[in-house]
Amino acid sequence: MLIGEVSRRSGVSTRMLRHYDALGLVTPSVRTAGGYREYSADDIRRLFHVESLRTLGLSLSEAKRALDEPGFTPTDLVGQLMRQTRARIAAEEELLRKLEQVDAAAPAQWGEVMSIVTLLRALESESGAHRQQAVLTHEASLPIDALVEAALSEEDLNVAGALRWSLARAAGEGLTDLAAGLDSPRGEVRRRATIAIAAVPTAEATALLRRALDDQDVTVRDRAALALGSRRVSAAIPALLAMVVEGRSDIEAAETLGLLEDAADDIVRAMRDRLDNTDDGPTRLRITQALAEIPGVAAREVLTELTGDADRTIAATASAILRY
């Protein structure tokens, strides 16, 4: 079969066939009576093998090795091709993500597109100061999903604070994406999501914080409880009491419990129960100190009783609280 017919049947251009010939990859092995070079059936078979290997991403030199070296084993090469393919897919997915973010901002002019792309690149800067500046200077131009994505991954506290501020100003637009962060298998992502949701003063955000109260990560539960308590949500009381008893941000937890005036008597009863059921000195001291934050007569009555406690530190602390 002459080169023109091979090209028509295989779909490989004559130029590429000549290139294969020059490389020794696929060489016509037969000559006609007129002296023309002709492809044999084996040559055609080899050509299709080359094209098949190229569809897997092999270079021409790699395809030649695979066909010509008797001891060639594909394992390492296939593994390399898989890694290269994954990297290429990741790059394409990253490009798609950026295009979706640009599209979400609904730019009307190419100048706006370039501005958004510049801001997105600034969020990827290695400099925390540059990322923070981008958020604070242009936060109104940033797509909400880009802000959420950055907030869920940002480790720099200053940048994270700026991102949360921007999301809070967005009137809850990013809550759907932040809610997805609460379902992340990674605890640090769920913690960032909870803190960001806590900055949004809406009923929808409050409902999401209630969800976070059941998280397996104690830090997530604590952040949700503090945020809910500051919103006067009584569902946070058990978690806040646990923080006091176990000594996790106990001062902040006690101050938050003090905001729940309508449930003050229930809180005092719960504290009294814990006092009566533990002999651990530091735990009882934290509860005594927390009683200072609870408004109402019930808390002062318990503190008055504690002035006669057998633990002199507890008694002295209760006395000092009552004096002030």
Side-chain angles (χ1 to χ4, degrees):
M1 190 180 297
L2 297 178
I3 188 170
E5 189 176 356
V6 171
S7 177
R8 285 192 299 274
R9 293 196 179 190
S10 67
V12 181
S13 69
T14 56
R15 182 179 179 182
M16 184 60 73
L17 287 170
R18 290 191 180 96
H19 183 53
Y20 286 177
D21 185 9
L23 294 175
L25 186 59
V26 181
T27 301
S29 59
V30 178
R31 283 196 179 271
T32 66
Y36 292 103
R37 302 175 71 192
E38 191 173 16
Y39 290 83
S40 68
D42 286 342
D43 298 335
I44 300 298
R45 189 177 300 109
R46 181 179 173 92
L47 174 62
F48 281 109
H49 286 165
V50 169
E51 292 303 297
S52 296
L53 292 172
R54 289 190 66 197
T55 64
L56 296 178
L58 271 69
S59 66
L60 294 181
S61 61
E62 290 168 338
K64 190 173 188 306
R65 282 183 57 213
L67 293 173
D68 292 345
E69 295 182 10
F72 179 83
T73 55
T75 306
D76 292 341
L77 182 56
V78 170
Q80 177 185 340
L81 290 170
M82 289 171 61
R83 290 189 293 274
Q84 292 173 348
T85 302
R86 290 192 183 102
R88 189 166 58 251
I89 291 172
E92 291 294 325
E93 289 178 341
E94 176 66 12
L95 174 59
L96 176 60
R97 182 183 65 82
K98 287 184 178 179
L99 289 170
E100 289 173 342
Q101 290 173 338
V102 171
D103 181 63
Q109 303 291 334
W110 274 110
E112 295 177 23
V113 172
M114 297 309 298
S115 176
I116 293 168
V117 170
T118 299
L119 293 173
L120 292 173
R121 290 185 65 183
L123 284 177
E124 297 172 352
S125 169
E126 292 183 1
S127 167
H130 289 167
R131 297 197 302 277
Q132 184 179 19
Q133 183 181 21
V135 176
L136 295 178
T137 307
H138 304 287
E139 52 94 16
S141 305
L142 285 169
I144 291 296
D145 59 341
L147 285 173
V148 172
E149 181 180 337
L152 294 180
S153 62
E154 183 58 62
E155 296 180 358
D156 185 296
L157 296 180
N158 292 326
V159 183
L163 289 164
R164 291 195 296 270
W165 175 77
S166 295
L167 286 170
R169 284 165 52 88
E173 286 186 43
L175 282 175
T176 299
D177 291 331
L178 287 172
L182 291 178
D183 296 324
S184 170
R186 297 171 56 197
E188 63 269 24
V189 173
R190 300 199 304 279
R191 288 193 289 273
R192 292 178 190 130
T194 302
I195 296 171
I197 291 168
V200 180
T202 66
E204 185 183 356
T206 300
L208 290 175
L209 290 169
R210 285 176 177 269
R211 238 180 73 189
L213 279 178
D214 296 324
D215 196 273
Q216 61 184 1
D217 188 309
V218 68
T219 307
V220 174
R221 296 198 302 271
D222 289 354
R223 297 308 306 178
L226 290 169
L228 286 169
S230 68
R231 299 180 189 209
R232 273 66 171 182
V233 177
S234 59
I237 291 174
L240 291 169
L241 285 171
M243 292 172 68
V244 172
V245 170
E246 295 166 21
R248 299 189 311 274
S249 301
D250 52 292
I251 295 174
E252 190 177 3
E255 291 173 347
T256 304
L257 283 168
L259 300 174
L260 297 163
E261 298 180 16
D262 292 344
D265 289 350
D266 292 334
I267 293 170
V268 171
R269 278 194 292 272
M271 288 183 167
R272 178 62 181 270
D273 180 67
R274 284 163 174 77
L275 279 168
D276 293 341
N277 286 282
T278 182
D279 294 324
D280 182 68
T283 299
R284 299 184 76 244
L285 179 60
R286 286 193 296 272
I287 297 172
T288 301
Q289 292 168 331
L291 282 165
E293 304 295 337
I294 312 302
V297 175
R300 297 190 67 82
E301 288 178 348
V302 175
L303 286 167
T304 300
E305 292 179 23
L306 289 172
T307 60
D309 196 87
D311 186 319
R312 296 175 61 182
T313 301
I314 300 292
T317 299
S319 297
I321 292 170
L322 289 170
R323 281 199 298 271
Y324 297 99

